Each structure stands twice: as C-alpha cells, then as structure tokens.
Amino acid sequence: MAPILLNCMGNDHNDYIKQLVQVKNPNLDTMEEDILYHFSLGTKTHNLPEMFGDIKFACVGGSANRMKGFAQFIHKELELPGNSEEIINICEGTDRYCMYKVGPVLSISHGMGVPSISIMLHELIKLLHHAQCRDVVLLRLGTSGGVGLAPGTVVVTDKAVDYSFRAQFEQVILDKVITRSTELDEGVANELLQCSSELQNFPTVIGNTMCTHDFYEGQGRLDGALCSFSQEDKLEYLRKAYDAGVRNIEMESTVFAAMCRICGLKAAVVCVALLNRFDGDQITSTQDVLVEFQQRPQVLVSHFIKKRLGLI
Ligand code: R2B
Ligand code: URA
C-alpha cells in the first residue's frame, strides 16, 4: 500500500512543481532580497504571494494607457465589484512600466522593442515565481503591420520568427550569441482562434509573426529618416516573408516567446494589423479607427479569459 501512496504523492508533487513559474537562475536562491527595480517592488518591501498569488493571466502590451484601458475593460467584463475607473497602478513608484491587477488578471505595459519588454519580463517572471503563482498564461496584446492582410485583422501568432524567418531569438550573453527557440503554446493559440470564431465579425488568422529591432529600416519601410533600398527590394522581402508564413510584423514577440518557453510559461501573442504593408508604410487610419482596432486583441483575450474561468 505504502509505495502506491508515495507514488501518488510524488505525481501530485511533480504536477504542482510543473505548474509553478520556474526561474532559471540559481543565484536567486542565495539572495536575501530581490528588488524588482523597474516595478518598484521587492521581496522584503512587499508581500508578493499575498499581492499576486492568485494571478492566472498576465497580459502585457506596449502602451501604458492601453494597458490601463485593458484593466478597466476586463474589470467590467469579469463583473468585479468596485469602480473600474479607480483602478490603482501597482507600479506608481516608477514611470518605467505600469501594472494593474484585476482579480486573477495582471495588465502590464512593456514599452517598445525587445530590450524594453525583456527587462519587464525578467521582473515579471521573478514576480510570478516569488508570488508562487501556478498555471499562469502570459498573453501579449499588441499592434503590428499586416503582411497581406486587411487592416483590422487580428493575428494569433503561430511561430515568432526573426528577420530571416527562423523561429529563434538571439541573445548576446557576455561575449557569446545564444540562440533560443521561440515556439509558442499551440493549445493556447488554437483556443484563441476558436474564441475568435465565437465573436461576430472578428477577422482573425493564425500565422507567423516577424519580430524586428526597428520600426523603419528594420521593417523595410521607405519612410524613415534613413532608407537605402528600393520599393522593389522592400516588396521582394515582404513577399519572401509572406511565403514563409509571416502575416504580421512587430517588435517584441521573439524574446517574449523565448523567455516564457524557458521558464515553463504558456504564452500567446495576439496583435491587430494596423495596415497592410503591401499597400504602404504610413499608418493613415483615423484615430477612432485605430482605437477600435486596438481594442480587438483585448476583446479576444477577454473572451478567452472568461471562457477559461467558466464565466461563459
Ligand atoms: C508594435 O507597435 C510598436 C511600434 O509602433 C511596437 O512596440 C510593436 O511591437
Ligand atoms: N507596429 C509595428 O511594429 N509595425 C507596424 O507596421 C505597425 C505597428
């Protein structure tokens, strides 16, 4: 009898460990305190398990205002008590990032580009680890340039790829370039796609997302302060990207996918295409149209969260 019992306990324990957010840094165990500088939070100054232990969805996006708006939106969608207008920025001690907690949902801004989101992710993953959160899904809600898509189309990322369409992220560590895989969670992506089919008039595709280190030259735009290639060169590159399955271009997905994967976090990227890059480079839609487009990833992710919580 005893060995069977032990075995069961072992499996439960293994499952419990698997669901925890893993950090891959032995140094953290030896530190008396961990200061999450860019969040203005710390393990000694804040009770992170009490503040964040129930988090199940960490939603991130570039703009501070948009992520505040998302927190207010999800507050209404989950029909939580209190006034969504009075929601508090947990990171008010710093203006680097903003963070709002709405029930089991965190909404955090990450700024623009790989370095900015990667700093935020180091601290977010440590925060989730220190808070002993379990079974957390990370979702990036963003904007992007569409490749062969009508403006307003939502792209759920299949693979996050680099400038040469490889599903990898290169990180310089000391004097070496380390290559990390950027595979995302297929199950979550399919769940999101299913959610999109349950919404009315919600054009959504699944496709590869190319992550670049620049908005202008890095994305083959002809309208930056610098440009050394022709319209034909640009179109040829975009066609190659399209043939490699790329449906949108943004600036954070590869490092997001790579870091989540290494730390055992399920992750997805949901970005709306603001324009079709085959048609131009400038974003010409009116402010009202852009605001509505940017709400689309929020609507989709809210539907996903409500379904996961068994509310619909
Ligand atoms: C999408 O939009 C931003 C650039 O305008 C960048 O953060 C991204 O990934
Ligand atoms: N964000 C990007 O990174 N590229 C675009 O074209 C639009 C938004």
Side-chain angles (χ1 to χ4, degrees):
M1 206 50 208
I4 295 169
L5 192 66
L6 267 179
N7 202 0
C8 292
M9 282 170 69
N11 281 339
D12 283 353
H13 186 67
N14 285 347
D15 285 348
Y16 179 83
I17 297 288
K18 259 196 254 162
Q19 291 166 352
L20 285 169
V21 178
Q22 304 155 34
V23 284
K24 294 292 161 80
N25 179 5
N27 300 316
L28 291 178
D29 297 335
T30 66
M31 284 162 50
E32 237 186 76
E33 179 179 14
D34 189 9
I35 296 169
L36 308 175
Y37 166 65
H38 302 86
F39 287 161
S40 195
L41 295 172
T43 50
K44 274 203 168 162
T45 46
H46 298 80
N47 184 339
L48 299 179
E50 194 177 289
M51 288 172 75
F52 299 104
D54 62 339
I55 291 298
K56 295 292 174 212
F57 309 94
C59 301
V60 305
S63 130
N65 265 335
R66 182 153 40 84
M67 295 322 284
K68 182 178 184 182
F70 176 67
Q72 291 171 333
F73 174 63
I74 205 81
H75 186 275
K76 288 185 195 128
E77 290 280 292
L78 300 184
E79 295 178 18
L80 293 174
N83 185 349
S84 64
E85 297 302 314
E86 284 167 14
I87 206 154
I88 289 169
N89 177 10
I90 299 169
C91 296
E92 63 188 355
T94 169
D95 58 3
R96 295 296 187 188
Y97 305 109
C98 72
M99 181 190 290
Y100 301 90
K101 183 177 182 298
V102 181
V105 182
L106 261 192
S107 177
I108 313 158
S109 67
H110 58 60
M112 283 192 284
V114 163
S116 184
I117 195 175
S118 108
I119 295 167
M120 192 284 288
L121 285 173
H122 275 282
E123 295 183 15
L124 173 61
I125 293 168
K126 290 198 294 174
L127 182 152
L128 297 171
H129 170 76
H130 292 313
Q132 290 155 29
C133 296
R134 290 192 300 129
D135 246 342
V136 184
V137 181
L138 257 78
L139 299 130
R140 168 168 140 69
L141 292 75
T143 57
S144 61
V147 182
L149 299 177
T153 308
V154 172
V155 181
V156 175
T157 302
D158 177 8
K159 290 192 192 75
V161 300
D162 68 6
Y163 66 96
S164 60
F165 323 130
R166 292 170 300 187
Q168 63 177 47
F169 172 67
E170 290 183 345
Q171 172 77 18
V172 178
I173 302 177
L174 305 184
D175 56 353
K176 294 185 184 62
V177 178
I178 304 295
T179 302
R180 291 174 168 157
S181 161
T182 56
E183 301 267 333
L184 288 156
D185 192 83
E186 205 183 319
V188 176
N190 286 332
E191 247 176 277
L192 284 159
L193 203 64
Q194 171 60 33
C195 287
S196 73
S197 72
E198 293 162 8
L199 296 165
Q200 298 282 307
N201 301 325
F202 208 89
T204 307
V205 298
I206 191 154
N208 294 344
T209 295
M210 180 163 73
C211 177
T212 68
H213 292 295
D214 172 48
F215 182 84
Y216 288 98
E217 292 175 288
Q219 295 188 6
R221 278 190 157 78
L222 299 162
D223 61 343
L226 312 176
C227 183
S228 53
F229 50 86
S230 66
Q231 158 96 343
E232 289 65 44
D233 295 337
K234 165 195 155 177
L235 291 176
E236 191 190 333
Y237 182 60
L238 289 182
R239 264 192 296 273
K240 271 194 201 152
Y242 187 91
D243 290 345
V246 171
R247 292 295 174 270
N248 65 340
I249 310 175
E250 46 77 273
M251 298 179 60
E252 294 87 13
S253 58
T254 49
V255 72
F256 173 79
M259 289 182 71
C260 290
R261 187 183 160 84
I262 294 174
C263 295
L265 282 158
K266 291 193 172 172
V269 179
V270 182
C271 291
V272 67
L274 300 182
L275 75 169
N276 180 1
R277 288 297 315 286
F278 282 115
D279 294 341
D281 297 331
Q282 298 250 306
I283 297 170
T284 53
S285 299
T286 63
Q287 202 53 34
D288 287 354
V289 168
L290 290 177
V291 167
E292 194 274 313
F293 283 175
Q294 289 176 42
Q295 280 162 357
R296 294 184 183 188
Q298 303 190 5
V299 170
L300 182 56
V301 167
S302 159
H303 191 79
F304 168 85
I305 290 174
K306 286 197 290 183
K307 260 185 102 173
R308 279 246 172 157
L309 293 176
L311 299 175
I312 46 176

